[in-house]
Amino acid sequence: MKQQDDPGVASVNRALSILMAFQDSVGGMTLAEITQATGLYHSTILRLCESLEHFRFLKRLEDGRYMLGPMPFHLGTIYQASFRLQDVALPVLRDLTQRTQETAALYVREGDARVCLHRVEQPRMVRMNVREGARVELDKGAAGKVLLAWAGQEGEVFDHVRQAHYAVSLAERDSESAAIACPVFGVGQKLVCALSLGVPLYRFDTEAFRTCLPLVMEAAGRLTFDLGGDPAGFAEPHAKPFKLKLARPSRA
């Protein structure tokens, strides 16, 4: 994307692009390396680095290299102290529930189980009901597949989940339930949790799947972005289901 297409103030965007160039640099960067990473002119970089150095976002070493200064770390500690996952996650869950009219929830792994951290449900006569704090099986359900996949579980199913960035379950944990789940990443693409949309099995047909999947992927990408991760894996086109049969299982 061209810089003139970026939102906000151009000079601020350029300064931030310089800071972002240091995210993979431990030993500092020369002016030439910053130029290569940002595409900015030397003169522009020098002016912006002077401002960033003044506010302690950057520090210039005697050999001319630049390194991050103490201010990003200071702001990071403030962020850590003030951060609460629910403040970021609940608006995303509410929006997903409103758009799908189904139950949205976040799960984290705890040993050999998964725990529901947060959930938002629509007041419908028939809906998926899960309590916050409830412990459920890790090896059953779409959210469990996601948590196991990013824990390095081997197998063709988990390979596909990692490639597709979503999992689907049909009547696994409960004979009347279905779900779509996606991973949610934080800084460094570390798994934070699994975002799940629970749907009563009788409502989970092909049309419902095709309607809900992009919305769940969008929600997971939005939450990943808010938590500092890269949402690129949630962009369309989405991978096709892996051996997914959407017909209701026989009770015979």
Side-chain angles (χ1 to χ4, degrees), residues 97-181:
T97 294
Q98 183 176 18
R99 297 172 72 182
T100 62
Q101 301 293 295
E102 304 294 355
T103 300
L106 293 184
Y107 290 91
V108 294
R109 181 173 182 174
E110 188 174 283
D112 293 329
R114 55 186 170 100
V115 177
C116 178
L117 281 184
H118 305 291
R119 66 100 174 87
V120 176
E121 61 184 23
Q122 194 70 15
R124 303 179 68 169
M125 290 296 294
V126 180
R127 62 183 184 273
M128 299 306 302
N129 184 26
V130 58
R131 295 181 294 104
E132 291 183 350
R135 291 172 57 90
V136 296
E137 300 95 327
L138 182 64
D139 60 347
K140 295 179 181 178
K145 287 186 177 71
V146 167
L147 295 173
L148 286 171
W150 267 270
Q153 187 78 16
E154 297 181 352
E156 191 175 5
V157 171
F158 299 103
D159 289 341
H160 182 269
V161 172
R162 284 185 285 266
Q163 186 272 329
H165 277 63
Y166 74 87
V168 177
S169 62
L170 298 171
E172 291 185 13
R173 191 175 66 86
D174 183 282
S175 62
E176 300 295 333
S177 66
I180 303 172

Side-chain angles (χ1 to χ4, degrees), residues 21-41:
F22 285 84
Q23 61 184 331
D24 297 320
S25 173
V26 177
M29 299 182 72
T30 65
L31 184 62
E33 289 171 336
I34 298 174
T35 300
Q36 183 177 7
T38 63
L40 300 174
Y41 292 112

Side-chain angles (χ1 to χ4, degrees), residues 1-228:
M1 180 181 291
K2 296 181 180 180
Q3 290 178 358
Q4 58 263 34
D5 295 330
D6 291 340
V9 180
S11 59
V12 176
N13 290 342
R14 296 188 188 105
L16 292 175
S17 71
I18 291 175
L19 288 178
M20 293 298 293
F22 285 84
Q23 61 184 331
D24 297 320
S25 173
V26 177
M29 299 182 72
T30 65
L31 184 62
E33 289 171 336
I34 298 174
T35 300
Q36 183 177 7
T38 63
L40 300 174
Y41 292 112
H42 282 215
S43 57
T44 301
I45 293 173
L46 284 173
R47 291 196 305 270
L48 292 174
C49 283
E50 286 180 1
S51 295
L52 292 169
E53 189 175 7
H54 175 72
F55 285 95
R56 300 192 299 162
F57 282 91
L58 290 181
K59 180 179 178 62
R60 189 173 187 181
L61 305 179
E62 292 184 358
D63 61 5
R65 288 179 299 121
Y66 288 92
M67 297 188 70
L68 288 178
M71 187 55 68
F73 178 77
H74 175 63
L75 294 178
T77 59
I78 295 175
Y79 173 79
Q80 284 184 321
S82 62
F83 174 77
R84 295 193 309 167
L85 179 60
Q86 66 183 44
D87 293 337
V88 182
L90 285 179
V92 176
L93 295 181
R94 292 190 190 105
D95 181 65
L96 180 59
T97 294
Q98 183 176 18
R99 297 172 72 182
T100 62
Q101 301 293 295
E102 304 294 355
T103 300
L106 293 184
Y107 290 91
V108 294
R109 181 173 182 174
E110 188 174 283
D112 293 329
R114 55 186 170 100
V115 177
C116 178
L117 281 184
H118 305 291
R119 66 100 174 87
V120 176
E121 61 184 23
Q122 194 70 15
R124 303 179 68 169
M125 290 296 294
V126 180
R127 62 183 184 273
M128 299 306 302
N129 184 26
V130 58
R131 295 181 294 104
E132 291 183 350
R135 291 172 57 90
V136 296
E137 300 95 327
L138 182 64
D139 60 347
K140 295 179 181 178
K145 287 186 177 71
V146 167
L147 295 173
L148 286 171
W150 267 270
Q153 187 78 16
E154 297 181 352
E156 191 175 5
V157 171
F158 299 103
D159 289 341
H160 182 269
V161 172
R162 284 185 285 266
Q163 186 272 329
H165 277 63
Y166 74 87
V168 177
S169 62
L170 298 171
E172 291 185 13
R173 191 175 66 86
D174 183 282
S175 62
E176 300 295 333
S177 66
I180 303 172
C182 293
V184 174
F185 303 108
V187 176
Q189 289 305 93
K190 293 184 178 179
L191 184 72
V192 175
C193 58
L195 185 155
S196 175
L197 185 73
V199 184
L201 190 60
Y202 81 92
R203 284 204 294 263
F204 196 70
D205 55 15
T206 302
E207 182 179 355
F209 171 74
R210 290 175 176 171
T211 299
C212 290
L213 176 62
L215 300 178
V216 180
M217 296 284 277
E218 179 184 336
R222 175 183 165 190
L223 189 51
T224 291
F225 180 83
D226 289 343
L227 295 177

